């Protein structure tokens, strides 16, 4: 077990001219390999947070690095106006990987941008002006994505008004689904497993009820799988895990393993409404992004990482309910550990022992979002460290 104190540094020392909008961990990373980060004085830190769920393959993955290098050397950029086989391959690969009945992919750059485009399509298809979202949701910081984010209006929204009508449904509240999703509703947007809220698994019955109600009133169902998608639950998407088919899935984070990219997967019904110039982007679907998306999916499939996520996440749940941890929630490698004390305290104590974990908007949830290559013996290090912390 590793209980040697790690040399942390005071938060904020690396801000310089960067906009002072991020609270920073007392840790400067200078290099990384696998699931390990290295700080300035050469100490190793086990990364159980994966850069907000981004580092799906971990650091320095050879296939990912080679794909990025190859594409950078052959052609680093062309817009969507110029056909490139790597873009076609990435779209095909993503749809095949999903094992879901999607007909097209629109590549963008970030989760918020994918959500903006999904909602825009829903408004156009239905000629309606209302979106229903779920309490606790996080969908991004842009005008539309922020408008459907729970609590944004009170905390950070910043735009003078929401660009459309929004209402929120309490988690698990079946009656509220009937009331809030009506013939005025263009779409319901939902994270099947809520991320920032603290790895909250909304469960199949609730998601099935949303699907049924959307069908009844002619609204579209959008799964925001920016955080929980691309293998993080141990399934290609949470939609596979729950057996609920949305009209659109938005995804990002794990899809690029650190190279910025995002995607909007659309059903045949949605795809049939697409026409020239309806959507656009400069960087989305760039060849470097497409090469890395292909490499990420290739690695997940060829290294059997979905099975690994299911196995090792079950091991976390079976072994890490120790010390100040009393329970778990979430799915796969979107795990919330319930803590007796404020999770921020435990996060700080873990970091001093060489483990980086995350927190959530629930103050008693420690959020784990490790790379899919995590092994049981690394979980043992977490378990042993948690065991020694005050309860
Ligand atoms: C579920 C979910 N949706 C959307 C977003 C926004 O993604 P981005 O920061 O790439 O715009 C996030 C980011 O944390 C997220 O977790």
């Amino acid at each position: 077990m590793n209980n040697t104190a790690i040399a942390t540094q005071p938060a904020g020392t690396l801000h310089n001219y960067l906009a002072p909008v991020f609270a920073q961990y007392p840790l400067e990373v200078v290099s990384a390999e696998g699931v390990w980060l290295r700080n300035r004085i050469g100490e190793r830190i086990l990364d159980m947070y994966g850069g907000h769920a981004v580092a799906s393959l971990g650091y320095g993955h050879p296939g990912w690095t080679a794909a990025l290098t190859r594409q950078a050397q052959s052609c680093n950029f062309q817009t969507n106006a110029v056909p490139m086989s790597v873009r076609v391959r990435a779209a095909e690969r993503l749809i095949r990987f999903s094992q879901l009945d999607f007909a097209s992919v629109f590549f963008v750059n970030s989760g918020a941008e994918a959500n903006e485009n999904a909602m825009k399509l829903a408004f156009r298809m239905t000629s309606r002006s209302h979106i229903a979202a779920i309490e606790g949701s996080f969908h991004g910081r842009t005008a539309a994505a922020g408008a459907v984010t729970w609590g944004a209006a009170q905390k950070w929204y910043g735009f003078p008004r929401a660009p459309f009508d929004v209402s929120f449904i309490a988690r698990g509240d079946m009656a509220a689904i009937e009331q809030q999703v009506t013939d005025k509703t263009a779409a319901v947007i939902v994270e099947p497993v809520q991320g920032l809220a603290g790895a909250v698994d909304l469960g199949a019955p609730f998601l099935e009820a949303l699907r049924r109600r959307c069908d009844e009133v002619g609204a579209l169902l959008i799964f925001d799988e920016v955080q929980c998608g691309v293998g993080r639950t141990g399934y290609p998407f949470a939609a596979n895990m729950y057996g609920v088919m949305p009209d659109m899935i938005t995804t990002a984070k794990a899809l690029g393993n650190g190279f910025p990219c995002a995607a909007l997967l659309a059903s045949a019904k949605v795809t049939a409404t697409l026409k020239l110039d309806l959507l656009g982007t400069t960087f989305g679907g760039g060849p470097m992004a497409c090469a890395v998306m292909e490499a990420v999916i290739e690695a997940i499939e060829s290294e059997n990482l979905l099975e690994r996520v299911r196995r090792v996440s079950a091991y976390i749940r079976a072994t890490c309910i120790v010390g100040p941890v009393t329970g778990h929630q979430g799915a796969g490698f979107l795990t919330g550990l319930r803590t007796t004390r404020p999770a921020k305290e435990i996060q700080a104590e873990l970091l001093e022992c060489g483990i980086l974990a995350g927190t959530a908007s629930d103050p008693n949830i420690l959020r784990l979002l490790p790379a899919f290559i995590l092994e049981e013996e690394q979980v043992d290090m977490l378990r042993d460290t948690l065991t020694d912390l005050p309860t």
Side-chain angles (χ1 to χ4, degrees):
M1 97 147 254
N2 177 342
N3 57 5
T4 337
I6 283 281
T8 57
Q9 62 188 83
T13 52
L14 288 175
H15 269 140
N16 297 329
Y17 292 102
L18 294 173
V21 295
F22 296 104
Q24 293 191 317
Y25 303 133
L27 163 72
E28 184 193 352
V29 172
V30 293
S31 66
E33 192 180 353
V35 293
W36 298 96
L37 310 174
R38 207 171 274 282
N39 69 10
R40 186 160 287 289
I41 57 166
E43 294 165 325
R44 289 198 326 161
I45 293 102
L46 175 63
D47 185 6
M48 295 295 290
Y49 193 54
H52 287 319
V54 165
S56 47
L57 305 183
Y59 306 99
H61 186 281
W64 181 89
T65 310
L68 190 56
T69 309
R70 248 192 332 267
Q71 192 60 49
Q73 285 168 343
S74 70
C75 175
N76 56 307
F77 190 72
Q78 279 299 309
T79 70
N80 289 280
V82 176
M84 293 192 80
S85 67
V86 66
R87 187 179 297 123
V88 176
R89 287 201 312 270
E92 268 176 29
R93 195 78 197 250
L94 183 55
I95 287 187
R96 263 195 290 123
F97 171 73
S98 80
Q99 296 170 32
L100 297 167
D101 198 12
F102 286 116
S104 66
V105 179
F106 177 56
F107 288 125
V108 285
N109 306 285
S110 70
E113 192 186 357
N115 287 335
E116 296 265 332
N117 281 287
M119 288 187 277
K120 173 174 153 177
L121 289 180
F123 288 128
R124 288 189 63 96
M125 282 179 70
T126 60
S127 304
R128 298 175 183 177
S129 59
H130 169 253
I131 300 270
I134 313 301
E135 289 185 6
S137 61
F138 184 84
H139 297 295
R141 292 178 178 273
T142 50
V148 291
T149 288
W150 176 245
Q154 292 73 37
K155 289 195 206 131
W156 49 258
Y157 188 61
F159 300 98
R161 66 190 73 86
F164 43 78
D165 303 328
V166 182
S167 57
F168 290 92
I169 300 170
R171 298 173 189 133
D173 187 343
M174 302 295 191
I177 295 178
E178 295 252 325
Q179 288 152 14
Q180 309 277 3
V181 183
T182 69
D183 59 8
K184 305 218 168 10
T185 305
V188 175
I189 186 164
V190 52
E191 297 165 81
V193 187
Q194 293 184 326
L196 185 64
V200 181
D201 171 357
L202 293 182
F206 185 69
L207 296 168
E208 284 162 2
L210 289 176
R211 176 70 277 177
R212 267 197 310 278
R213 185 62 180 161
C214 284
D215 291 341
E216 277 166 18
V217 301
L220 295 159
L221 182 61
I222 303 167
F223 275 7
D224 175 344
E225 299 219 24
V226 167
Q227 186 160 151
C228 66
V230 198
R232 184 156 295 282
T233 59
Y235 296 83
F237 288 94
N240 307 83
M241 181 174 74
Y242 293 117
V244 177
M245 178 67 188
D247 300 290
M248 291 179 259
I249 283 182
T250 57
T251 197
K253 293 188 185 279
L255 184 60
N257 189 43
F259 194 91
C261 59
L264 163 54
L265 291 89
S267 67
K269 181 172 84 173
V270 176
T271 303
T273 69
L274 300 180
K275 51 184 195 243
L276 289 185
D277 294 334
L278 190 61
L279 306 176
T281 167
T282 297
F283 293 122
M288 309 256 287
C290 289
V292 306
M293 289 186 268
E294 204 183 8
V296 165
I297 296 170
E298 167 61 26
I300 292 175
E301 291 179 343
S302 65
E303 296 170 30
N304 211 8
L305 293 182
L306 296 180
E307 191 277 327
R308 165 111 60 126
V309 170
R310 293 197 294 269
R311 191 185 75 236
V312 180
S313 65
Y315 189 69
I316 294 176
R317 286 163 166 74
T319 60
C320 291
I321 315 305
V322 292
V325 175
T326 57
H328 60 79
Q329 59 191 45
F333 278 173
L334 174 42
T335 295
L337 297 181
R338 185 152 293 283
T339 56
T340 51
R341 297 186 279 122
K344 276 197 189 312
E345 272 178 32
I346 293 159
Q347 179 192 40
E349 290 160 8
L350 285 175
L351 189 53
E352 285 192 8
C353 297
I355 300 175
L356 178 62
T359 55
S361 49
D362 181 332
N364 282 82
I365 289 290
L366 194 70
R367 192 164 37 135
L368 306 181
L369 298 158
F372 305 168
I373 57 169
L374 189 76
E375 292 170 359
E376 278 93 344
E377 63 181 16
Q378 292 147 356
V379 175
D380 290 343
M381 176 179 162
L382 174 67
R383 176 203 60 204
D384 292 347
T385 309
L386 284 170
T387 304
D388 288 350
L389 296 185
T391 56

